[in-house]
Amino acid sequence: MLMIKDALDLEIHIDKSSGWPYRDVLKLAESFQLPAGRGNVTVFKYPQNHGLRVAWFDSWRPRDLDEHAVIIEDDLQLSPEWYSWLKRAWISYGHRSDLAGIALSRQYMMVKKPEYDYEILNNGEPFLYRLVGTWGFSPHPARWSQMLNWFYSIDHDNFDPYVPGLITSDWLHIHNRQGRRHMTWEQWHIYHSNKHGLFTLYQNLPNRHVLLNNWREAGVHSRTSPNRPDYPLVKGSCPIQLQSFPSRLNKYDWDARTLVR
């Protein structure tokens, strides 16, 4: 729920497509409104498909360090509790120089090879993990600006943001061979975070409840639609863990098990 003085500017970015899905999405976006006095809705229409990397990197440029954003892709669903938790998380941890951003999604995998699914439980409390959250990510305005400035200052069409030992580095190389380099952005953020010692804040709630889930619709990430989300949303009752914002956070390295003190 928005606080009394809060305003939310909503930007809807529509990548170029064709046919009735595109027309229906465009119609819905252009007719969408926020409650009076709560903020503005702006629709951006792109003349041609530009891929996920441009979609993410062009989605937000902070105007100042007091501005925050959360980037939501089109097959994600938010819990009613997401905003109040995210705002309190930023109030609690926004001062940290090692914070790359805050994820609304659940941490669910370990990316150091040999990679596998692995959840950091951490007693249900917030923690820091090296890997960026790609679903419902709220970047730190200073760290995000630094990352973008670095990315656009280099020859990013030829530079290899390789981080030894991580499966994500191999995934980018696979995309390169497939001619789909423009369809991934995460490895650039991973490289930057690794170089500068940055972490993403997560909270893995009990009973696998989440503030944001993914319906995994067919598209770039999946060939089929399972018609069910990956995790259950927090609804109705609020887990006590969502009220916990400890001053000292446990930090986990790329292997998701090594506690960095």
Side-chain angles (χ1 to χ4, degrees):
M1 178 178 294
L2 290 176
M3 310 307 178
I4 294 176
K5 295 183 179 180
D6 291 353
L8 177 69
D9 288 328
L10 175 65
E11 294 184 359
I12 303 175
H13 295 245
I14 304 176
D15 215 345
K16 179 61 179 177
S17 183
S18 60
W20 65 265
Y22 176 76
R23 294 193 298 270
D24 284 358
V25 167
L26 188 59
K27 182 179 179 180
L28 178 62
E30 292 181 333
S31 63
F32 187 82
Q33 294 181 334
L34 292 171
R38 289 303 194 187
N40 302 311
V41 178
T42 306
V43 179
F44 294 90
K45 298 171 288 186
Y46 293 89
Q48 60 186 10
N49 181 269
H50 56 202
L52 281 176
R53 191 179 72 193
V54 173
W56 271 81
F57 288 0
D58 283 4
S59 64
W60 179 55
R61 277 277 190 169
R63 289 168 290 193
D64 56 60
L65 298 184
D66 293 325
E67 180 181 85
H68 291 281
V70 59
I71 303 171
I72 309 290
E73 293 187 5
D74 56 2
D75 52 358
L76 307 179
Q77 183 180 10
L78 289 158
S79 161
E81 305 295 333
W82 78 270
Y83 181 83
S84 59
W85 180 85
L86 183 61
K87 180 174 181 177
R88 284 179 289 172
W90 276 120
I91 291 172
S92 300
Y93 305 121
H95 66 280
R96 297 186 64 113
S97 60
D98 60 351
L99 184 64
I102 299 175
L104 293 175
S105 59
R106 191 175 184 87
Q107 178 275 332
Y108 66 94
M109 72 177 302
M110 189 277 290
V111 295
K112 188 172 183 179
K113 296 187 291 187
E115 76 288 352
Y116 54 88
D117 290 347
Y118 182 82
E119 292 186 353
I120 300 171
L121 299 181
N122 200 56
N123 297 318
E125 293 192 334
F127 61 91
L128 296 171
Y129 177 44
R130 291 279 193 186
L131 183 64
V132 63
T134 59
W135 302 329
F137 183 58
S138 181
H140 191 293
R143 307 294 102 70
W144 187 249
S145 294
Q146 291 165 1
M147 191 271 295
L148 291 178
N149 289 339
W150 161 74
F151 175 80
Y152 287 115
S153 71
I154 63 173
D155 180 7
H156 51 261
D157 287 331
N158 294 297
F159 181 82
D160 183 9
Y162 186 83
V163 178
L166 300 189
I167 190 61
T168 58
S169 298
D170 297 343
W171 290 344
L172 178 60
H173 290 176
I174 292 172
H175 283 137
N176 289 343
R177 292 194 294 270
Q178 294 174 340
R180 302 172 71 244
R181 183 181 175 89
H182 65 296
M183 295 306 295
T184 183
W185 68 273
E186 299 94 326
Q187 187 59 29
W188 302 94
H189 193 284
I190 288 168
Y191 180 91
H192 185 265
S193 290
N194 189 65
K195 183 176 181 180
H196 295 282
L198 301 178
F199 294 77
T200 292
L201 182 81
Y202 290 88
Q203 185 165 10
N204 282 359
L205 294 169
N207 302 315
R208 310 195 87 192
H209 283 123
V210 291
L211 292 166
L212 172 146
N213 63 21
N214 189 336
W215 281 79
R216 300 167 292 176
E217 299 290 344
V220 173
H221 301 301
S222 176
R223 293 185 178 182
T224 60
S225 300
N227 296 317
R228 64 180 185 277
D230 52 359
Y231 299 108
L233 283 181
V234 171
K235 291 183 178 180
S237 61
C238 180
I240 189 64
Q241 288 83 359
L242 286 179
Q243 310 302 319
S244 177
F245 297 92
S247 59
R248 298 188 65 179
L249 296 171
N250 288 333
K251 300 168 74 172
Y252 296 87
D253 212 339
W254 292 112
D255 60 9
R257 295 193 181 200
T258 303
L259 180 62
V260 181
R261 296 187 184 279

